Amino acid sequence: TDTVSYASRTETFVSPKAAVSYQWSPETVLKASLGRAVRMPTVSELYGATSTTNSQYINDPNLKPEKSWTTELSAERDIGNGQARLTFFAEDTQDSLYSQTTFDPVANRNVSRVQNIGRIQTTGLELAFTGFDVMKKGLDLSGSITYTDSTIKENTGFVVVAGDTLGKRQPNIPAWRASALVSYRMDEHW
């Protein structure tokens, strides 16, 4: 029933990106890229407080935009009927916007909020393959395996006690991830 007024807020950011590639040999190309990304908090993250019997969402009108610098170095090789790629990647994110839910046993409900995590540093390596007519005409294979180390380096926020997330892995980013796809074309019509 109360009206809450928020101060006006204006911010401007630049997101430069650059990429270069070099044909190292007829079969191998090397690529490097660097870019900056900025994600602004959404209207509901800033102002959308809601509450039900068993849940509560706490907004934060002071959330900062998430800012990341990302780097990739890749080597791609043509292997005749396919392509193999090895990529090293690194990302340094300041003020990461992260949604967190905790259980409040006194109120018997989940409490959710988005908060800024000071700094998350991520590095990783990915090996990927795409092949056509592998072992049999019409049989296509693709897949990848990725290792990622994503660690919270700075955080004034916390889950239970101050500092309890420092040095911990970023939630929902697995250390290992793999994917595979197999498809078969019986003829040119299928």
Side-chain angles (χ1 to χ4, degrees), residues 8-172:
S8 178
R9 182 172 160 178
T10 302
E11 296 177 87
T12 303
F13 296 94
V14 176
S15 295
K17 293 165 184 61
V20 64
S21 64
Y22 176 72
Q23 193 72 44
W24 189 43
S25 73
E27 300 84 21
T28 306
V29 64
L30 304 177
K31 297 180 179 180
S33 63
L34 173 68
R36 181 175 191 241
V38 178
R39 174 175 124 35
M40 305 300 267
T42 65
V43 172
S44 62
E45 290 169 343
L46 292 167
Y47 310 113
T50 58
S51 186
T52 65
T53 304
N54 58 1
S55 68
Q56 178 182 10
Y57 177 79
I58 302 171
N59 67 304
D60 184 351
N62 298 310
L63 285 172
K64 300 173 190 168
E66 177 179 293
K67 298 170 284 303
S68 298
W69 278 101
T70 303
T71 304
E72 283 189 5
L73 302 171
S74 293
E76 294 179 0
R77 183 161 180 91
D78 184 339
I79 53 176
N81 63 336
Q83 183 180 58
R85 177 181 49 83
L86 181 64
T87 301
F88 167 78
F89 57 91
E91 182 175 81
D92 195 350
T93 304
Q94 305 284 328
D95 298 318
S96 176
L97 290 163
Y98 192 76
S99 177
Q100 172 178 282
T101 300
T102 56
F103 181 70
D104 180 354
V106 176
N108 192 34
R109 66 178 166 185
N110 289 320
V111 179
S112 299
R113 71 176 302 150
V114 173
Q115 67 182 43
N116 288 114
I117 295 178
R119 182 171 169 242
I120 298 176
Q121 193 171 42
T122 304
T123 56
L125 194 63
E126 180 176 64
L127 179 62
F129 169 79
T130 302
F132 305 98
D133 297 328
V134 178
M135 297 184 288
K136 180 176 176 67
K137 184 166 177 53
L139 183 62
D140 299 341
L141 303 175
S142 66
S144 67
I145 185 163
T146 307
Y147 172 75
T148 306
D149 179 20
S150 187
T151 307
I152 298 171
K153 299 293 187 178
E154 297 172 19
N155 188 15
T156 56
F158 53 90
V159 177
V160 180
V161 294
D164 63 355
T165 60
L166 295 179
K168 302 289 181 37
R169 292 187 58 80
Q170 179 182 356
N172 301 321

Side-chain angles (χ1 to χ4, degrees), residues 133 136-140 182-187 190:
D133 297 328
K136 180 176 176 67
K137 184 166 177 53
L139 183 62
D140 299 341
V182 177
S183 63
Y184 180 67
R185 294 170 279 116
M186 291 184 283
D187 60 33
W190 291 93

